Amino acid sequence: MKSETIKSPEQKEYAWKAKRHGKITSSTLPDLMKAGKGTPYGKAFFDALYLVRYERRTGITRENGACKAFDWGHENEPLAVEWVRSQLIDEVKSCTTDFPDIVFNEPFAGFGDSPDFYVYGLDGACKALGEIKCPMSQGKIETLQFLNEITEKDEYYWQFLGHFVGMSDVDVLYYVIYDGYTNNGRIIEMHRAEHEANIQKLADRIRFADVLVDCSLKTGLDFPECIEAATVILPLRLEIEVLTKQAKGNVPIQNQIRRIKKEIRKIIASKKACSQHTINI
């Protein structure tokens, strides 16, 4: 039996970054959901997508930018996982260290998500996802002592919902607030059923954003100029996604997919031609 090669932490992180390349990820979702004045798309929305567009256009992976708070969280996350294990009777697995590769869930094209840990029930099935935050600021740690439920006002709310988008068959999320100074923390539960409408709203926003980036790259136009075309293309892309599941060995459906793709190409070409005509004028 062929043995599996054990990757070093550096190799795992490199492979994880390669999977994330050019994709919208859960850490950017709070910005992606921000509206502007009189428009559903604010500056933060576009800024988040410029990073994605840059990666797709150049092939160069974006830099997150290290800082003391980031390093603090990175160093304390393994300790936080051990603390969670001490609090739960269920099996807890780190999504970073307990699998051959760092977990990266891709429920649909253009999006990927990495929770911090999984919780398993007695039947061996994953029953909960986990997100760990390790604030460096003691003031923030103290403020979070009064947090009892997670709402849209929470700065990480949409990131948490991104985990639900990433794994549609898990109904519970544990938000862990870990105090690295005292090796103590809090666990706050989120339940999918209480946020279904916003989870769908988020998934729709991600899909639209992915189409918008693609449209911008293919036409050479900025995001605001591609919103109308992306709005038309999105339902066509979703139709392809549904049909693809039935396409194997089914020639009529395969032909239907080709026709839809041709229609999308025509929309892109028309938009590109309009922009070139405007420039020439």
Side-chain angles (χ1 to χ4, degrees), residues 8 13 17 60 74 76 84 86 106 109-110 120-121 128 133 141 152 159-160 170 218-220 235 242 250 257 260:
S8 68
E13 184 170 2
K17 286 183 177 179
I60 297 172
H74 188 72
N76 278 278
V84 172
S86 74
E106 299 179 70
Y120 293 86
K133 297 299 180 187
I141 294 171
E152 289 186 49
Q159 180 183 359
F160 297 157
V170 178
K218 288 178 178 177
T219 62
V242 172
N250 192 321
I257 290 172
I260 297 171

Side-chain angles (χ1 to χ4, degrees), residues 26-62:
S26 286
S27 59
T28 65
L29 297 183
D31 286 336
L32 200 73
M33 294 303 293
K34 287 179 180 175
K37 190 175 181 180
T39 171
Y41 312 110
K43 181 180 182 299
F45 170 85
F46 292 122
D47 286 346
L49 292 189
Y50 283 129
L51 290 172
V52 176
R53 190 186 193 281
Y54 179 85
E55 285 191 334
R56 294 186 189 181
R57 181 179 64 82
T58 66
I60 297 172
T61 301
R62 74 193 104 161

Side-chain angles (χ1 to χ4, degrees), residues 191-228:
H191 296 268
R192 176 186 294 274
E194 297 171 4
H195 305 274
E196 285 286 10
N198 276 346
I199 292 170
Q200 186 58 56
K201 178 181 177 182
L202 176 61
D204 292 342
R205 183 86 156 193
I206 296 168
R207 290 177 187 273
F208 175 77
D210 177 58
V211 173
L212 187 62
V213 173
D214 188 53
C215 187
S216 174
L217 285 167
K218 288 178 178 177
T219 62
L221 296 171
D222 202 354
F223 294 135
E225 299 168 277
C226 292
I227 288 174
E228 185 178 347

Side-chain angles (χ1 to χ4, degrees), residues 3 8 19 22 24 41 46 51 81 84 104 115 121 161 182 189 205 220 225 238-239 244 252 258 263 276:
S3 60
S8 68
K19 290 177 184 176
I24 297 163
Y41 312 110
F46 292 122
L51 290 172
V81 171
V84 172
F104 190 66
L161 294 199
T182 65
E189 285 191 26
R205 183 86 156 193
E225 299 168 277
L238 294 177
E239 190 176 351
T244 300
R258 291 190 192 97
E263 187 176 348
Q276 291 173 341

Side-chain angles (χ1 to χ4, degrees), residues 12 24 33 41 62 74 81 88 91 110 116 126 130 134 137-138 145 156 163 168 196 206 252 268:
K12 290 172 71 171
I24 297 163
M33 294 303 293
Y41 312 110
R62 74 193 104 161
H74 188 72
V81 171
L88 303 178
E91 181 183 15
D116 288 325
C126 181
C134 307
S137 163
Q138 286 107 332
Q145 293 299 305
Y156 303 116
H163 295 326
S168 60
E196 285 286 10
I206 296 168
I268 294 291

